[in-house]
Every structure is written in C-alpha cells, then in structure tokens.
Amino acid sequence: MVKTKIAVLVSGGGTNLQALLDAQARGDIRNGKITAVVSSTPGAFALERAKGANVPGHVVNRKDYDSRESFTEALLGKLSELNADLIVLAGFLYILSPAFVERYENRIINIHPALIPSFCGDGFYGLKVHEKALEYGVKLTGATVHFVSAEADAGPIILQKAVAIEEGDTAEILQKRVMEQAEWKLLPEAVSLFCQGRLHVEGRIVRIDQAE
Ligand code: GRF
C-alpha cells in the first residue's frame, strides 16, 4: 500500500507537530509519512522541530499576502507542489478559505483544545479557549480532532477525549493538561486511522473501522 503523504501546517511552537513526529519515530503513524511542514510564520519554533526530525520545512508567510484568498492560493500552490494527500492543522492560526476546504474535502484534519461544540468557532483559539471554559465553570473539557469544513471548528468529529478541570486551575495549567492528556495522543491516533483508510465520513458522522 502506498503511504499517505502528510503535510503539517503550523504557525507557532509546534508541540502537536512534535507529538506527530514522535509517533512517526515509534512507528505509530501506520501507512503514513510526514513529508513536509509548512509554516505561516518564518520564525516558528515548529520549523526547528521539523529540522530536528529531518522533515523539510517550508514557509508561506501570511504577512506577504494582503488577503485570505491570495494567502490560500499560495498555500494551495505549495501543497500541490508537495503532492500532499492529507493536511494536518497543528496550531495553524488561520481559517482556510472555502476554496481550500473544497479542494481537500475530508482530507484536512484539525485539533481543537475543547470538546466541540463547546468553546469553539471564531475567536476561540490558544489560551482563550481555556479561559472561557474556566469562566463558564465546566467540570470537564478536553480536545477534539475533526475534519475541517468551511465553518470554523464545525466539521465532522473524528475523536474526542475529556479532561477534568481541577481546583486552582489557571488557563495555562489547563492548557498544559489538555495537551498532555488529550491533544498529543488524539492527533497522532486520528492521523494514523486516516492513513490506514479506517475513517469514513457519512454526513456529519465519522465511522471508524475496527482494526483487522
Ligand atoms: C493547540 O492547543 C491546538 O489544539 C490549537 O493550537 C495549539 C497549538 O499548540 N489548535 P502547538 O503549536 O501544537 O504547541
């Protein structure tokens, strides 16, 4: 079976990228290979992580484009040059245009640090997500891996994992717990399932084939 070529899109620190690279090194991304990391920011530490794992890093700098459309065009050009089969958004800060989403329908995976449909959509990114969860007083939060659709954080859900809120949590503490207990596990697992052809999207529902 030909391996799925994975391009990971990043904008920042890249701990989720690191989780993917570590999973790959352990042989846990079955039937897939991370062939490129594309950053929207030239100085992103994620590019160092890519280098450390001998994965080619590329930059499509958001600041070089004056609209979401022209930025998306440039990204699409880069990704087709890279022949990517699967796009993984791992801390990628920009909402992709409908044209992009259409081009890669059900082939773009995103990780969001909350249990969708809570604390998601426009304006819910980074620490804000955790601040809002704490403010609301929920007892459980978590992470969601989903396919990307034209609406932010609204595509079919692949995997979710709950994480408990604890007394004395700050947004920073909670962010770290959600990453350690949920995000860094779920994202490699979902990517591996995709690469094995075990995810089937039926409307909003993602069915997962059992392992053989
Ligand atoms: C993560 O919390 C992820 O869920 C969200 O952005 C953050 C990125 O962190 N989409 P990192 O760059 O992977 O460390």
Side-chain angles (χ1 to χ4, degrees):
M1 209 172 172
V2 183
K3 281 196 173 179
T4 300
K5 289 197 272 304
I6 307 162
V8 185
L9 269 51
V10 297
S11 300
T15 62
N16 279 288
L17 167 66
Q18 191 64 57
L20 288 167
L21 294 169
D22 292 348
Q24 173 159 282
R26 289 193 306 268
D28 284 350
I29 308 287
R30 290 182 46 201
N31 202 47
K33 186 170 166 43
I34 302 165
T35 51
V37 170
V38 182
S39 176
S40 62
T41 323
F45 186 67
L47 288 168
E48 296 299 316
R49 298 182 189 272
K51 208 180 196 177
N54 283 318
V55 174
H58 305 264
V59 177
V60 178
N61 191 347
R62 178 65 184 89
K63 294 215 164 80
D64 289 345
Y65 302 91
D66 54 14
S67 68
R68 182 169 76 160
E69 283 66 31
S70 55
F71 174 56
T72 298
E73 271 305 303
L75 262 183
L76 278 174
K78 175 57 75 182
L79 291 166
S80 69
E81 202 179 284
L82 295 168
N83 255 317
D85 304 309
L86 170 67
I87 317 290
V88 179
L89 308 184
F92 184 72
L93 280 182
Y94 301 98
I95 295 178
L96 299 167
S97 71
F100 191 113
V101 174
E102 208 173 291
R103 167 75 178 77
Y104 287 97
E105 196 189 8
N106 294 333
R107 291 197 291 143
I108 311 170
I109 287 179
N110 182 46
I111 175 105
H112 182 73
L115 294 174
I116 289 174
S118 287
F119 311 114
C120 65
D122 252 1
F124 284 90
Y125 60 88
L127 275 179
K128 284 197 183 139
V129 180
H130 304 290
E131 280 163 11
K132 294 284 177 198
L134 289 174
E135 253 171 58
Y136 199 94
V138 290
K139 304 295 186 196
L140 285 175
T141 184
T144 303
V145 184
H146 64 93
F147 283 115
V148 171
S149 64
E151 200 186 326
D153 297 332
I157 290 171
I158 303 168
L159 296 172
Q160 290 189 299
K161 188 166 191 289
V163 173
I165 308 275
E166 290 176 16
E167 192 62 39
D169 270 354
T170 61
E172 287 81 2
I173 293 172
L174 184 57
Q175 180 182 51
K176 187 160 181 275
R177 187 179 315 118
V178 169
M179 283 178 160
E180 286 171 356
Q181 293 187 6
E183 294 187 50
W184 300 342
K185 294 179 182 157
L186 284 193
L187 188 59
E189 190 184 338
V191 167
S192 184
L193 287 168
F194 179 96
C195 295
Q196 293 168 67
R198 289 170 57 194
L199 300 179
H200 305 284
V201 185
E202 295 167 17
R204 282 210 51 80
I205 310 301
V206 179
R207 305 212 180 277
I208 303 176
D209 285 347
Q210 295 304 309
E212 278 160 21

